[in-house]
């Protein structure tokens, strides 16, 4: 039987559809209310917050590094300048995969694996977000063209014109002016990172390091608007940086150059200073090196070649290298003997060619094995007699030797503005011997200390300063490199706190009971140069002014009791060092010169003539006559090879 078909209930269907429509409408309205509520919350309630985020994505604050101060010599000759350079910079935040960008740079510029590693390290060392990092310096025109063509593949990479440090005379001032280098993590720990934002270099050595705070200047800022790619579209506001101060040093380009030339192919150092004010006129360490590659980043190969050079071009022999002072210390020992009453100028000692301690068979030899017979202080200094000073040192005793020689700056840093790299040397004492070597002090140690041998170690700057104190009759002035900072003298800078000297105050003047002792030693040192038997009489035979000097020879290796010094049998680097110190004119000193020539053997034969050349260059005019004080103070014209004038460099400081 067939079942009947059901009849549709249209009323019921309509009710179902109406119900669904109502539910759907309510759901849609609810969603719209939620959507509009969310939009209201974001656009109205959180308007300030999101507008700030949006602004941060669009507007960035960038640091404007200051132009570093220029450094001049005393004549106004530029010895450290700022030169424009096309540099390749990279901002890491503008690239999604920054390592890919580095790979692309290596590919298009045909760089080596060593270059790639260097680029990666530079990017990792940056200190602030959105700070551009210089990757390559001094791009060629071809390299700039390659970067321009490949710009779409190099987001965050730009070619910028920036100033980099330049040392126009290369190795001539490397050990005095120093150099700047890339800021390291260690540097960031000791500087204000905000003040150094945007700055990529900092003083590493020399005057560049000590006067960093003056040379650096103050950072500026600008707000810039960028697009989605991070490219700067416009500058919204700007605060200009303050350029660093220009420094005028006490160094004289011409004297420095002459001293460097006479020391060429020698391991040596010269310090020349004005005893009247402590100004360092020349400071040369040979061999030297070109500091310019350190500014933009020296290659590992070139660095290793310098570091492994047996002649040690990095070593500043003038202020860091330490040597036995040899006989150059004898005038100080003589002054000490006069002060403590251990001797008089007239007292004589017999020299048979050696000295023996009481109840001892050991012979302490004089350099002149035949002896000089009966000698007083004048002859002993003139002849550099060891026997006389063995005897005098024994009478003085190590306690007094240490006390008085320390007053002359031995065993301590003596400079005002080079002490960060200066060695204190060693002025031995009983306490020092026990503390350092765990040994007792014996009388024999006192004897060899009296002739500047044994444990005593000094720098050439210390010897120069001690000699200046003799010339100044004990008046202490710390040697220094700075003459002016902008228009302020070094004394004014100390007075206003720009140079802090609380940790290195000037020692008190040396005051002796008998002031005439200074004149006695001055007279005796003149005999070294002008006396008939003086060790440096050849030097004095051609001098047109009076020179007070003292030769010295410092042993490198010990010679046994019964052996003689044989230069030919020794390795060249085991031969004695040659030293000489002098001041002139003796009656009114205007220059002090100290020199060491490593393994030069003869202080009077090799070192003394060089000292005279330096003195002549400073003291004599073109007619061979002594310059007046006005002539000494007069500035000399810049050398012909100077390609950049001071005026041009000053104009560059105003360019940002």
């Amino acid at each position: 039987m067939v079942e009947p078909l059901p009849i549709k209930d249209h009323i019921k269907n309509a009710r179902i559809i109406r119900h669904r429509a109502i539910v759907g409408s309510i759901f849609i309205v609810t969603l719209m209310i939620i959507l509009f509520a969310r939009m209201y919350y974001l656009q109205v309630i959180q308007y300030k917050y999101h507008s700030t985020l949006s602004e941060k994505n669009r507007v960035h604050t960038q640091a404007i590094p200051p132009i570093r101060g220029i450094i001049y010599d005393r004549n106004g000759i530029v010895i450290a300048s700022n030169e424009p350079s096309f540099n390749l910079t990279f901002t890491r935040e503008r690239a999604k995969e920054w390592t890919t960008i580095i790979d692309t740079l290596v590919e298009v510029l045909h760089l080596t694996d060593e270059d790639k590693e260097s680029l990666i390290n530079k990017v990792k060392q940056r200190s602030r977000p959105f700070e551009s990092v210089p990757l390559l310096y001094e791009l060629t025109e071809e390299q700039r063209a390659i970067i321009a063509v490949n710009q779409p593949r190099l987001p965050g990479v730009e070619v910028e014109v920036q100033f980099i440090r330049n040392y126009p005379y290369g190795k001539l001032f490397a050990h005095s002016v120093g150099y700047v280098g890339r800021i390291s993590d260690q540097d960031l720990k000791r500087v204000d990172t905000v003040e150094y934002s945007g700055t990529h270099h900092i003083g590493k050595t020399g005057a560049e390091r000590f006067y960093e705070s003056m040379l650096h200047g103050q950072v500026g800022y600008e707000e810039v608007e960028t697009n989605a790619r991070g490219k700067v579209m416009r500058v919204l506001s700007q605060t200009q940086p303050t350029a660093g101060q220009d420094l005028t040093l006490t160094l004289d380009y011409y004297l420095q150059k002459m001293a460097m030339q006479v020391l060429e192919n020698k391991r040596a150092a010269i310090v020349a200073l004005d005893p009247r004010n402590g100004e360092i006129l020349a400071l040369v360490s040979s061999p030297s090196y070109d500091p310019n590659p350190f500014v933009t980043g020296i290659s590992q190969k070139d660095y290793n070649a310098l570091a492994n050079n047996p002649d040690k071009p990095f070593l500043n022999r003038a202020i860091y290298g330490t040597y036995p002072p040899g006989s150059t210390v004898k005038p100080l020992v003589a002054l000490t003997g006069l002060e403590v009453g251990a001797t008089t100028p007239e007292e004589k000692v017999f020299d048979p060619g050696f000295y023996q301690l009481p109840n001892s068979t050991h012979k302490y030899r004089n350099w002149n094995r035949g002896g000089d017979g009966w000698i007083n202080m004048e002859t002993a200094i003139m002849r550099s007699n060891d026997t006389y000073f063995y005897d005098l040192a024994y009478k003085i005793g190590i306690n007094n030797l240490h006390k008085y020689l320390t007053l002359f700056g031995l065993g301590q840093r003596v400079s005002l503005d080079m002490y960060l790299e200066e060695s204190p040397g060693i002025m031995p004492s009983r306490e020092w011997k026990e503390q350092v070597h765990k040994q007792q002090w014996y009388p024999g140690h006192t004897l060899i200390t009296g002739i500047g041998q044994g444990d005593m170690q000094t720098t050439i700057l210390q010897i120069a300063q001690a000699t200046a104190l003799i010339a100044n009759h004990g008046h202490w002035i710390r040697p220094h490199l700075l003459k002016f900072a902008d228009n302020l003298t070094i004394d004014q800078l100390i007075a206003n706190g720009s140079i802090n000297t609380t940790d290195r105050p000037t020692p008190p003047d040396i005051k002796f009971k008998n002031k005439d002792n200074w004149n006695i030693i001055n007279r005796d040192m003149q005999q070294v140069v002008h006396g008939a038997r003086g060790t440096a009489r050849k030097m004095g035979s051609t001098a047109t002014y009076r020179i007070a000097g003292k030769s010295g020879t410092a042993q490198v290796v010990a010679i046994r009791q019964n052996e003689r010094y044989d230069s030919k049998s020794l390795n060249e680097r085991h031969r004695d060092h040659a030293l000489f110190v002098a001041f002139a004119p003796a009656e009114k000193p205007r220059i002090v010169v100290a020199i060491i020539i490593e393994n030069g053997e003869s202080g009077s034969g090799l070192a003394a003539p060089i000292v005279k050349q330096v003195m002549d260059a400073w003291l004599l005019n073109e007619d061979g006559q002594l310059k007046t004080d006005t002539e000494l103070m007069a500035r000399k014209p810049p050398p012909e090879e100077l390609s950049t004038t001071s005026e041009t460099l000053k104009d560059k400081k105003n360019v940002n």
Side-chain angles (χ1 to χ4, degrees):
M1 181 175 179
V2 180
E3 294 183 2
L5 294 172
I7 300 174
K8 291 184 177 179
D9 188 347
H10 294 285
I11 297 174
K12 182 179 178 182
N13 289 344
R15 189 167 54 249
I16 292 173
I17 292 173
R18 191 165 50 249
H19 178 73
R20 290 177 177 176
I22 293 171
V23 172
S25 298
I26 293 172
F27 181 73
I28 292 172
V29 169
T30 302
L31 288 178
M32 291 181 65
I33 291 172
I34 294 173
L35 179 61
F36 279 110
R38 180 62 177 169
M39 291 178 62
Y40 178 83
Y41 176 76
L42 294 175
Q43 296 291 332
V44 178
I45 297 177
Q46 288 198 318
Y47 168 77
K48 292 184 178 181
Y49 172 75
H50 288 286
S51 64
T52 302
L53 286 181
S54 176
E55 193 71 12
K56 284 185 177 181
N57 289 331
R58 185 176 64 90
V59 178
H60 299 288
T61 300
Q62 294 184 342
I64 308 175
I67 303 298
R68 194 171 182 84
I70 300 167
I71 301 179
Y72 303 87
D73 89 323
R74 67 188 301 115
N75 303 300
I77 298 171
V78 177
I79 54 181
S81 63
N82 304 305
E83 297 296 326
S85 168
F86 287 97
N87 300 336
L88 187 70
T89 65
F90 177 53
T91 306
R92 188 163 141 183
E93 284 74 15
R94 297 178 184 174
K96 292 182 179 179
E97 295 292 337
W98 66 271
T99 53
T100 303
I101 303 301
I102 299 298
D103 291 335
T104 304
L105 280 174
V106 172
E107 174 191 344
V108 300
L109 294 177
H110 306 292
L111 303 178
T112 64
D113 291 339
E114 182 181 345
D115 294 330
K116 178 180 177 179
E117 184 179 353
S118 175
L119 298 183
I120 292 173
N121 290 334
K122 288 177 180 178
V123 175
K124 289 181 177 180
Q125 288 175 1
R126 61 127 191 210
S127 59
R128 293 167 61 90
F130 286 97
E131 181 178 78
S132 63
V133 178
L135 299 182
L136 297 172
Y137 296 89
E138 300 179 286
L139 296 178
T140 65
E141 187 174 345
E142 180 183 358
Q143 288 175 320
R144 299 200 301 270
I146 292 174
I147 296 299
V149 170
N150 291 275
Q151 193 66 60
R153 301 172 59 194
L154 300 169
V157 174
E158 292 183 8
V159 175
E160 297 181 6
V161 179
Q162 299 175 333
F163 285 109
I164 61 171
R165 205 59 158 170
N166 178 59
Y167 303 99
Y169 300 108
K171 64 181 182 180
L172 185 58
F173 294 98
H175 290 109
S176 51
V177 173
Y179 64 86
V180 300
R182 186 172 179 80
I183 296 178
S184 65
D185 292 337
Q186 187 175 0
D187 294 325
L188 289 174
K189 294 177 181 178
R190 62 182 178 88
V191 300
D192 185 342
T193 55
V194 174
E195 191 60 40
Y196 275 78
S197 55
T199 301
H200 305 293
H201 295 86
I202 192 170
K204 296 289 188 177
T205 63
E208 291 274 29
R209 179 184 179 188
F210 186 84
Y211 291 108
E212 171 65 28
S213 59
M214 293 183 184
L215 290 164
H216 177 255
Q218 294 181 345
V219 68
Y221 294 94
E222 63 181 4
E223 284 191 339
V224 297
E225 183 178 0
T226 60
N227 61 16
R229 291 177 175 267
K231 184 177 181 179
V232 176
M233 305 303 295
R234 61 181 176 135
V235 177
L236 302 177
S237 64
Q238 190 176 74
T239 301
Q240 291 290 346
T242 302
Q245 296 182 56
D246 292 342
L247 303 186
T248 298
L249 302 187
T250 60
L251 297 169
D252 183 89
Y253 163 82
Y254 296 95
L255 196 65
Q256 184 87 359
K257 183 177 181 180
M258 191 277 286
M260 177 67 80
Q261 288 174 342
V262 297
L263 292 186
E264 190 174 4
N265 300 323
K266 296 180 178 68
R267 297 182 299 277
I270 287 179
V271 172
L273 59 85
D274 189 332
R276 299 170 299 177
N277 51 30
E279 293 183 355
I280 295 177
L281 308 174
L283 189 150
V284 174
S285 177
S286 176
S288 186
Y289 61 94
D290 184 0
N292 285 297
F294 290 88
V295 178
T296 55
I298 189 171
S299 69
Q300 192 64 46
K301 178 182 177 181
D302 291 341
Y303 178 83
N304 289 339
L306 289 170
N308 297 328
N309 187 327
D311 290 337
K312 300 179 181 179
F314 283 147
L315 175 63
N316 190 336
R317 288 171 164 83
I319 66 172
Y320 189 75
T322 55
Y323 310 88
S327 295
T328 61
V329 81
K330 288 176 180 176
L332 308 181
V333 176
L335 277 167
T336 302
L338 293 174
E339 176 64 14
V340 301
T343 189
T344 65
E346 299 78 20
E347 183 176 337
K348 292 185 177 182
V349 171
F350 183 75
D351 170 33
F354 59 87
Y355 178 82
Q356 288 179 289
L357 286 166
N359 303 318
S360 174
T361 59
H362 184 86
K363 294 181 179 180
Y364 295 86
R365 299 286 183 181
N366 181 25
W367 67 268
N368 177 12
R369 292 294 184 104
D372 289 320
W374 287 101
I375 53 174
N376 59 12
M377 181 177 290
E378 178 181 354
T379 305
I381 292 178
M382 176 176 63
R383 295 286 297 153
S384 195
N385 186 278
D386 292 331
T387 302
Y388 179 93
F389 283 96
Y390 288 141
D391 181 71
L392 182 56
Y394 180 70
K395 292 175 181 176
I396 293 171
I398 187 56
N399 292 341
N400 278 326
L401 275 178
H402 180 270
K403 174 184 175 181
Y404 282 93
L405 267 60
T406 299
L407 297 179
F408 285 88
L410 303 190
Q412 58 191 287
R413 297 177 176 90
V414 298
S415 72
L416 177 66
D417 52 9
M418 293 176 288
Y419 75 100
L420 294 175
E421 299 165 65
E422 184 184 356
S423 173
I426 300 172
M427 182 57 226
S429 65
R430 294 180 187 275
E431 294 74 19
W432 175 86
K433 193 80 171 181
E434 184 176 347
Q435 182 179 358
V436 175
H437 293 289
K438 310 300 180 185
Q439 294 178 1
Q440 182 180 348
W441 187 273
Y442 293 100
H445 298 150
T446 303
L447 301 191
I448 58 176
T449 300
I451 64 167
Q453 297 287 168
D455 294 317
M456 188 186 297
Q457 295 286 308
T458 60
T459 66
I460 304 309
L461 181 62
Q462 283 177 350
I463 297 174
Q465 174 62 8
T467 307
L469 285 164
I470 296 175
N472 280 340
H473 290 196
H475 178 51
W476 250 98
I477 306 173
R478 285 194 181 276
H480 55 272
L481 284 173
L482 183 65
K483 191 173 181 68
F484 300 109
D486 285 339
N487 295 319
L488 298 178
T489 66
I490 191 166
D491 290 334
Q492 291 171 324
L493 292 167
I494 293 173
N496 67 20
S498 297
I499 300 177
N500 183 6
T501 60
T502 55
D503 58 341
R504 54 190 186 286
T506 301
D509 291 348
I510 303 171
K511 296 182 179 180
F512 288 145
K513 289 176 287 189
N514 185 353
K515 294 181 180 179
D516 194 48
N517 289 345
W518 299 108
N519 295 324
I520 292 171
I521 298 302
N522 184 319
R523 178 203 65 194
D524 294 350
M525 291 178 69
Q526 290 183 52
Q527 291 302 304
V528 173
V529 179
H530 302 283
R533 300 178 65 201
T535 56
R537 57 189 177 276
K538 289 184 180 180
M539 173 188 184
S541 64
T542 58
T544 58
Y545 49 89
R546 298 288 291 185
I547 301 171
K550 186 68 194 76
S551 58
T553 303
Q555 282 188 344
V556 177
V557 294
I559 304 298
R560 292 181 180 179
Q561 173 76 68
N562 296 317
E563 290 185 355
R564 288 179 178 268
Y565 177 83
D566 183 4
S567 173
K568 295 180 180 179
S569 67
L570 290 173
N571 180 290
E572 188 268 340
R573 292 179 186 268
H574 291 164
R575 296 172 186 171
D576 293 346
H577 298 324
L579 300 98
F580 199 85
V581 296
F583 58 86
E587 61 277 6
K588 190 179 179 181
R590 294 191 286 180
I591 186 173
V592 170
V593 181
I595 182 175
I596 184 167
I597 302 175
E598 291 183 7
N599 316 115
E601 298 187 289
S602 176
S604 57
L606 183 62
I610 294 177
V611 168
K612 184 175 180 295
Q613 284 182 266
V614 174
M615 287 184 162
D616 285 349
W618 182 251
L619 293 173
L620 301 182
N621 59 25
E622 294 179 357
D623 298 325
Q625 301 298 316
L626 275 175
K627 293 178 182 177
T628 64
D629 286 339
T630 302
E631 288 176 309
L632 279 178
M633 293 174 62
R635 285 190 170 192
K636 305 178 186 71
E640 294 180 0
E641 64 266 28
L642 185 63
S643 59
T644 309
T645 65
S646 301
E647 289 73 19
T648 302
L649 289 168
K650 287 180 179 178
D651 290 340
K652 286 180 180 179
K653 291 189 70 176
N654 299 321
V655 179
N656 296 308

